[in-house]
Each structure stands twice: as structure tokens, then as C-alpha cells.
Amino acid sequence: MMDATMAEATVVTQTGVRLDRTAEFDIWQSETSRIIAGFPGFLKQTVLPPSPPAQDDWVILQRFADSVSAIHWLNSPERLARLTTVQPLLNGRADVHVVRGAAEAPASPPVSAIISTRVKPGCEEAYRRWEQRIAVAQSAAVGLQGYRFEPPIAGVQDDWLAILRFDTQDNLQAWLDSPTRKAMVAEAEPLTEEFHYRIARTGFDQWFPVPREGEKPPAIWKQNLIVLSMLYPVVFLFGHFVQMPLLVTAWGIPFAIALLIGNGASIILLNWLVPWTSNRFLWWLSPKARSGPRVDALGAGILAGVLVVLALIFWRLF
């Protein structure tokens, strides 16, 4: 049996950032990413910016080869020094947890709730029994995709951690607000000192439909083709009508800054356009088992045709 300390571990950080200090936090996070990249056992970092209204926090996932490496980073002088410089940028407390195993769970589903609970000393076994009961109750919740339960890690993490994964924000909120859950949470109050939860949404994955159970997720090349088919007209039209004539020529904004503004506007528009388009290509993104190369070719041909037509229109008219 593998030692738990040898399994992969992920440091999950959720924190609120003051709106007027977002740019500074972005710089701080970039420097922190450079430092952590040199730590032994570090594998990968994923940074998820806020995605209102579901997720108001920044979510940072730092994946390590084992729990020892993750704990070494958490207790390192380099990290502790970084924390002292970031405090003025934050809005409220930051939640930091270690999830053992290949913990991509908070990032891969459409929406997750990361629940932290501080259990009163001596009530640990009673809390475990309560957790088993609520796990059974929530298994019947509509849209539940997965559940993880993590006990405290001595000297590192005092809280008990639960991660709920749901297919939509509405289904997650329905369970969080349900009379069944509220009654069970009230039942656990004598056992706990503190309880709170935060919501985490995905980044790029939130643009695409969630596969039903037993179905494969959309192929990466299909997702990229849909994004390209939406990104190309957005970038061209914004550049032609806004970026060059207004931002650069009329207002004298440097091209590098105008380009950054254009990229930001494109991302905002894609948050609406890509889901709208992907929902109309469900037959292609997640084809049934009886479908094959013909369906793949048909969807790719339609989107390629759209790109060619757009290129010809832009070439002739502008």
C-alpha cells in the first residue's frame, strides 16, 4: 500500500482581492509563481481569476509530487515572506488547504463548493459519523458530480475539508439552501467551532457543456476550433472599429495598451459567445457512440467554412 505522503498533493488557496488592488495582486502572483517553480516536488500551478456571480475569489491550485513537498512549500521562509507583502491587497481572510491525491477537483467541474469546518476537540469521531450521514443525503442531490472529504493534516491544516462538485451553479445552490442540508448543518453545530464555504468555478472549461455520465468530454481540438471561430470576428471587428480609430488614433493610447484593452474586451464577449455556440454544436462536441468520422468532419467543415466566409467578407468590405 502506498504511503499517503508519497501521493500527489495540491495546495488549494482561495482569497478575495480588493478591486482597486487587482493589478498589484496579479504582479504579486506572477512573482510567486516564479519562486514556487524552483521548489522541489512542484509540478503545476493553475490560477483561476474571479468569475462572478458564482465565484468572487481568486483560486490558486499548486500541485506537488507528494504531501512532504507541499508542506515544505507552505512552511518555507520564501512563502511566509510573500504572505507579509500581499496582506494589504486582500479583502478578508484567505483559505489555504492541502488536498491529497491528484486534486484537480476544484478546477475541472463547472462549479465546486470548498467547505472548511473547525471541529471541537474530542468531537472528531462524532463529526465523522455526521459526515457519513450527510454524504448519503447529498448523494441524492440533483447535479452532484463528485464529493471529496479530507481530514486535518497535523501541524499544517486544522480544518476538515469537503469538496462538492455540481454540474451547475443553480443545482449547487439548491443543495446548499435545501431544508435537508440546513437541518443536518444545524445538527452538527454542537460539534463544530467554525464553518464556512467558498465557491470555485472553472476557467476555460466553463465555456463548454458538461458531458453526461458515460460520455467523453469534448476533444481539445474541437474546443479550440469553436474558440477560434468566435475569436477571429471579435478581434477583427474590435480592432477595425474601436482599437485603431478610437483608442490609438483619436485618443492616442499606445498600441500595447490598446491591444491589452482589446484582449480584455474579447474575453468578455467570448464568455457569452462560446457557450452560445457550443450549445448549438452539442451534436458535434459530444457525439453519441454511433457517430464517427463523418460527424467530426461535418462539424469541422461547418466551422472552417464560417471562418473562410468571414475572412472573405472582411477582405472585401474593409
Side-chain angles (χ1 to χ4, degrees):
M1 184 174 178
M2 181 181 293
D3 187 340
T5 61
M6 299 304 294
E8 289 185 9
T10 302
V11 178
V12 182
T13 302
Q14 288 183 271
T15 186
V17 178
R18 292 174 52 183
L19 293 178
D20 59 335
R21 310 297 290 272
T22 299
E24 295 172 74
F25 179 80
D26 198 26
I27 295 172
W28 178 90
Q29 182 58 51
S30 297
E31 177 63 17
T32 303
S33 300
R34 185 189 65 79
I35 293 172
I36 195 176
F39 264 70
F42 175 75
L43 299 177
K44 177 184 177 182
Q45 176 173 270
T46 303
V47 179
L48 304 176
S51 179
Q55 175 190 314
D56 295 323
D57 302 318
W58 288 73
V59 180
I60 299 104
L61 308 174
Q62 296 164 331
R63 187 172 173 184
F64 289 84
D66 50 61
S67 295
V68 173
S69 300
I71 293 170
H72 174 61
W73 161 250
L74 286 175
N75 294 329
S76 67
E78 292 87 345
R79 176 179 175 274
L80 297 177
R82 298 296 297 161
L83 292 182
T84 61
T85 61
V86 78
Q87 290 305 318
L89 312 181
L90 303 184
N91 182 20
R93 59 174 286 179
D95 285 349
V96 181
H97 302 290
V98 178
V99 180
R100 287 165 288 196
E104 296 290 350
S108 57
V111 61
S112 300
I114 301 178
I115 303 172
S116 302
T117 305
R118 186 72 53 86
V119 177
K120 292 179 180 178
C123 296
E124 291 83 3
E125 289 305 315
Y127 183 76
R128 278 186 179 273
R129 292 193 296 270
W130 173 87
E131 180 276 330
Q132 292 170 356
R133 293 198 305 275
I134 196 171
V136 172
Q138 72 194 10
S139 65
V142 175
L144 180 70
Q145 292 188 335
Y147 173 63
R148 292 191 63 164
F149 183 68
E150 296 282 343
I153 299 175
V156 176
Q157 176 176 298
D158 295 328
D159 294 343
W160 297 67
L161 184 66
I163 302 174
L164 304 177
R165 303 175 314 197
F166 277 79
D167 58 350
T168 67
Q169 169 68 21
D170 288 343
N171 284 336
L172 169 60
Q173 200 61 50
W175 165 247
L176 293 176
D177 295 337
S178 68
T180 299
R181 181 179 178 277
K182 287 182 177 180
M184 297 198 72
V185 169
E187 180 185 329
E189 286 180 357
L191 309 176
T192 61
E193 293 180 347
E194 182 182 350
F195 161 87
H196 69 278
Y197 69 86
R198 295 192 180 195
I199 303 299
R201 280 193 66 89
T202 64
F204 192 80
D205 291 341
Q206 77 189 60
W207 287 348
F208 295 93
V210 181
R212 296 182 179 87
E213 187 168 350
E215 289 185 351
K216 295 180 179 180
I220 296 298
W221 70 270
K222 292 183 178 182
Q223 297 183 25
N224 290 339
L225 187 53
I226 283 186
V227 172
L228 177 61
S229 66
M230 296 296 100
L231 183 62
Y232 172 60
V234 168
V235 170
F236 181 90
L237 294 173
F238 186 91
H240 184 81
F241 290 106
V242 179
Q243 183 173 304
M244 293 308 298
L246 293 180
L247 301 184
V248 176
T249 304
W251 298 347
I253 296 176
F255 177 78
I257 304 301
L259 182 62
L260 177 62
I261 296 173
N263 288 342
S266 299
I267 291 296
I268 292 172
L269 290 172
L270 289 182
N271 274 318
W272 177 80
L273 288 171
V274 174
W276 184 87
T277 305
S278 63
N279 284 333
R280 281 147 185 81
F281 277 82
L282 288 177
W283 57 271
W284 181 66
L285 285 170
S286 300
K288 297 180 180 178
R290 63 176 180 270
S291 301
R294 287 188 176 182
V295 171
D296 289 346
L298 178 59
I302 292 174
L303 291 173
V306 168
L307 287 169
V308 170
V309 170
L310 287 173
L312 291 174
I313 291 174
F314 294 158
W315 177 35
R316 294 294 187 182
L317 295 184
F318 303 104

